[in-house]
mmCIF file of all heavy atoms in Angstrom:
data_model
loop_
_atom_site.group_PDB
_atom_site.id
_atom_site.type_symbol
_atom_site.label_atom_id
_atom_site.label_comp_id
_atom_site.label_asym_id
_atom_site.label_seq_id
_atom_site.Cartn_x
_atom_site.Cartn_y
_atom_site.Cartn_z
ATOM 1 N N GLU A 518 169.795 52.112 106.167
ATOM 2 C CA GLU A 518 171.103 51.529 106.607
ATOM 3 C C GLU A 518 170.776 50.303 107.416
ATOM 4 O O GLU A 518 171.820 49.527 107.687
ATOM 5 C CB GLU A 518 171.915 52.512 107.428
ATOM 6 C CG GLU A 518 172.304 53.736 106.547
ATOM 7 C CD GLU A 518 173.207 54.679 107.327
ATOM 8 O OE1 GLU A 518 173.930 54.268 108.286
ATOM 9 O OE2 GLU A 518 173.128 55.828 106.951
ATOM 10 N N TRP A 519 169.557 50.081 107.888
ATOM 11 C CA TRP A 519 169.355 48.871 108.704
ATOM 12 C C TRP A 519 167.870 48.428 108.526
ATOM 13 O O TRP A 519 167.024 49.141 108.044
ATOM 14 C CB TRP A 519 169.598 49.174 110.248
ATOM 15 C CG TRP A 519 168.541 50.126 110.806
ATOM 16 C CD1 TRP A 519 168.609 51.414 110.831
ATOM 17 C CD2 TRP A 519 167.305 49.756 111.443
ATOM 18 N NE1 TRP A 519 167.451 51.983 111.451
ATOM 19 C CE2 TRP A 519 166.693 50.906 111.808
ATOM 20 C CE3 TRP A 519 166.723 48.523 111.749
ATOM 21 C CZ2 TRP A 519 165.437 50.961 112.409
ATOM 22 C CZ3 TRP A 519 165.506 48.615 112.456
ATOM 23 C CH2 TRP A 519 164.946 49.762 112.749
ATOM 24 N N ALA A 520 167.604 47.153 108.833
ATOM 25 C CA ALA A 520 166.328 46.629 108.730
ATOM 26 C C ALA A 520 166.192 45.308 109.535
ATOM 27 O O ALA A 520 167.251 44.534 109.623
ATOM 28 C CB ALA A 520 166.005 46.240 107.240
ATOM 29 N N LEU A 521 165.102 45.097 110.245
ATOM 30 C CA LEU A 521 164.913 43.861 110.864
ATOM 31 C C LEU A 521 164.766 42.780 109.763
ATOM 32 O O LEU A 521 164.167 42.987 108.729
ATOM 33 C CB LEU A 521 163.680 43.801 111.724
ATOM 34 C CG LEU A 521 163.630 44.731 112.884
ATOM 35 C CD1 LEU A 521 162.313 44.639 113.613
ATOM 36 C CD2 LEU A 521 164.786 44.592 113.805
ATOM 37 N N GLU A 522 165.476 41.594 110.028
ATOM 38 C CA GLU A 522 165.419 40.470 108.900
ATOM 39 C C GLU A 522 164.318 39.543 109.142
ATOM 40 O O GLU A 522 163.713 38.951 108.256
ATOM 41 C CB GLU A 522 166.741 39.908 108.884
ATOM 42 C CG GLU A 522 167.814 40.851 108.291
ATOM 43 C CD GLU A 522 169.170 40.151 108.145
ATOM 44 O OE1 GLU A 522 169.421 39.227 108.919
ATOM 45 O OE2 GLU A 522 169.928 40.583 107.372
ATOM 46 N N ARG A 523 164.171 38.977 110.469
ATOM 47 C CA ARG A 523 163.233 37.934 110.759
ATOM 48 C C ARG A 523 163.246 37.785 112.297
ATOM 49 O O ARG A 523 164.109 38.223 112.940
ATOM 50 C CB ARG A 523 163.630 36.678 110.114
ATOM 51 C CG ARG A 523 164.878 35.912 110.622
ATOM 52 C CD ARG A 523 165.201 34.744 109.870
ATOM 53 N NE ARG A 523 165.429 34.854 108.448
ATOM 54 C CZ ARG A 523 166.563 35.093 107.893
ATOM 55 N NH1 ARG A 523 167.656 35.173 108.653
ATOM 56 N NH2 ARG A 523 166.787 35.275 106.624
ATOM 57 N N LEU A 524 162.169 37.182 112.775
ATOM 58 C CA LEU A 524 162.027 36.877 114.197
ATOM 59 C C LEU A 524 163.149 35.800 114.524
ATOM 60 O O LEU A 524 163.227 34.806 113.794
ATOM 61 C CB LEU A 524 160.688 36.399 114.521
ATOM 62 C CG LEU A 524 160.435 36.052 115.948
ATOM 63 C CD1 LEU A 524 160.591 37.292 116.920
ATOM 64 C CD2 LEU A 524 159.006 35.452 116.120
ATOM 65 N N TYR A 525 163.954 36.050 115.560
ATOM 66 C CA TYR A 525 165.031 35.207 115.876
ATOM 67 C C TYR A 525 164.634 34.144 116.926
ATOM 68 O O TYR A 525 164.790 32.962 116.686
ATOM 69 C CB TYR A 525 166.190 36.070 116.397
ATOM 70 C CG TYR A 525 167.453 35.223 116.803
ATOM 71 C CD1 TYR A 525 168.141 34.449 115.875
ATOM 72 C CD2 TYR A 525 167.965 35.412 118.052
ATOM 73 C CE1 TYR A 525 169.159 33.756 116.250
ATOM 74 C CE2 TYR A 525 169.075 34.691 118.417
ATOM 75 C CZ TYR A 525 169.682 33.843 117.505
ATOM 76 O OH TYR A 525 170.787 33.228 117.924
ATOM 77 N N HIS A 526 164.290 34.672 118.063
ATOM 78 C CA HIS A 526 163.737 33.768 119.068
ATOM 79 C C HIS A 526 162.864 34.468 120.061
ATOM 80 O O HIS A 526 162.871 35.674 120.171
ATOM 81 C CB HIS A 526 164.967 33.084 119.934
ATOM 82 C CG HIS A 526 165.749 33.996 120.821
ATOM 83 N ND1 HIS A 526 165.302 34.159 122.175
ATOM 84 C CD2 HIS A 526 166.743 34.753 120.687
ATOM 85 C CE1 HIS A 526 166.116 34.985 122.739
ATOM 86 N NE2 HIS A 526 167.033 35.371 121.852
ATOM 87 N N THR A 527 162.084 33.697 120.790
ATOM 88 C CA THR A 527 161.185 34.173 121.798
ATOM 89 C C THR A 527 161.534 33.618 123.107
ATOM 90 O O THR A 527 161.684 32.371 123.163
ATOM 91 C CB THR A 527 159.755 33.835 121.536
ATOM 92 O OG1 THR A 527 159.365 34.495 120.301
ATOM 93 C CG2 THR A 527 158.788 34.285 122.605
ATOM 94 N N VAL A 528 161.776 34.421 124.170
ATOM 95 C CA VAL A 528 162.088 33.851 125.498
ATOM 96 C C VAL A 528 160.708 33.525 126.212
ATOM 97 O O VAL A 528 159.820 34.325 126.223
ATOM 98 C CB VAL A 528 162.817 34.880 126.281
ATOM 99 C CG1 VAL A 528 162.893 34.434 127.748
ATOM 100 C CG2 VAL A 528 164.258 35.154 125.676
ATOM 101 N N VAL A 529 160.665 32.366 126.817
ATOM 102 C CA VAL A 529 159.585 31.838 127.596
ATOM 103 C C VAL A 529 160.123 31.653 129.006
ATOM 104 O O VAL A 529 161.017 30.863 129.107
ATOM 105 C CB VAL A 529 158.922 30.626 127.031
ATOM 106 C CG1 VAL A 529 157.874 30.110 127.938
ATOM 107 C CG2 VAL A 529 158.372 30.789 125.591
ATOM 108 N N ASN A 530 159.716 32.529 129.900
ATOM 109 C CA ASN A 530 160.161 32.322 131.321
ATOM 110 C C ASN A 530 159.493 31.198 131.900
ATOM 111 O O ASN A 530 158.312 30.929 131.771
ATOM 112 C CB ASN A 530 159.806 33.637 132.138
ATOM 113 C CG ASN A 530 160.584 34.891 131.581
ATOM 114 O OD1 ASN A 530 161.591 34.784 131.024
ATOM 115 N ND2 ASN A 530 160.001 36.028 131.722
ATOM 116 N N CYS A 531 160.352 30.343 132.582
ATOM 117 C CA CYS A 531 159.811 29.144 133.183
ATOM 118 C C CYS A 531 159.886 29.034 134.636
ATOM 119 O O CYS A 531 160.852 29.393 135.205
ATOM 120 C CB CYS A 531 160.699 27.950 132.576
ATOM 121 S SG CYS A 531 160.736 27.915 130.733
ATOM 122 N N ARG A 532 158.775 28.511 135.261
ATOM 123 C CA ARG A 532 158.919 28.140 136.699
ATOM 124 C C ARG A 532 159.859 26.953 136.945
ATOM 125 O O ARG A 532 160.566 26.950 137.893
ATOM 126 C CB ARG A 532 157.558 27.733 137.138
ATOM 127 C CG ARG A 532 156.482 28.802 137.098
ATOM 128 C CD ARG A 532 155.081 28.143 137.421
ATOM 129 N NE ARG A 532 154.082 28.976 136.878
ATOM 130 C CZ ARG A 532 153.081 29.463 137.532
ATOM 131 N NH1 ARG A 532 152.787 29.147 138.777
ATOM 132 N NH2 ARG A 532 152.151 30.232 136.900
ATOM 133 N N ASP A 533 159.713 26.030 136.075
ATOM 134 C CA ASP A 533 160.582 24.708 136.204
ATOM 135 C C ASP A 533 160.953 24.456 134.747
ATOM 136 O O ASP A 533 160.240 23.998 133.915
ATOM 137 C CB ASP A 533 159.560 23.611 136.790
ATOM 138 C CG ASP A 533 160.372 22.331 136.877
ATOM 139 O OD1 ASP A 533 161.039 21.880 135.893
ATOM 140 O OD2 ASP A 533 160.343 21.690 137.990
ATOM 141 N N LEU A 534 162.253 24.579 134.481
ATOM 142 C CA LEU A 534 162.752 24.399 133.146
ATOM 143 C C LEU A 534 162.611 23.012 132.600
ATOM 144 O O LEU A 534 162.194 22.911 131.469
ATOM 145 C CB LEU A 534 164.292 24.749 133.113
ATOM 146 C CG LEU A 534 164.991 24.620 131.831
ATOM 147 C CD1 LEU A 534 164.355 25.646 130.721
ATOM 148 C CD2 LEU A 534 166.482 24.856 131.906
ATOM 149 N N ASP A 535 162.890 22.008 133.450
ATOM 150 C CA ASP A 535 162.686 20.666 132.887
ATOM 151 C C ASP A 535 161.199 20.318 132.563
ATOM 152 O O ASP A 535 161.035 19.656 131.521
ATOM 153 C CB ASP A 535 163.204 19.715 133.926
ATOM 154 C CG ASP A 535 164.721 19.826 134.322
ATOM 155 O OD1 ASP A 535 165.499 20.172 133.330
ATOM 156 O OD2 ASP A 535 165.095 19.823 135.485
ATOM 157 N N GLU A 536 160.356 20.732 133.300
ATOM 158 C CA GLU A 536 158.926 20.571 133.078
ATOM 159 C C GLU A 536 158.535 21.315 131.732
ATOM 160 O O GLU A 536 157.879 20.764 130.923
ATOM 161 C CB GLU A 536 158.026 21.086 134.207
ATOM 162 C CG GLU A 536 156.598 20.906 134.005
ATOM 163 C CD GLU A 536 155.738 21.494 135.058
ATOM 164 O OE1 GLU A 536 156.137 22.482 135.671
ATOM 165 O OE2 GLU A 536 154.749 20.956 135.357
#
Side-chain angles (χ1 to χ4, degrees):
E518 292 183 33
W519 70 274
L521 298 179
E522 294 180 331
R523 68 183 61 91
L524 182 62
Y525 179 59
H526 72 90
T527 296
V528 171
V529 175
N530 295 334
C531 303
R532 294 174 206 227
D533 179 310
L534 181 61
D535 299 321
E536 180 182 36

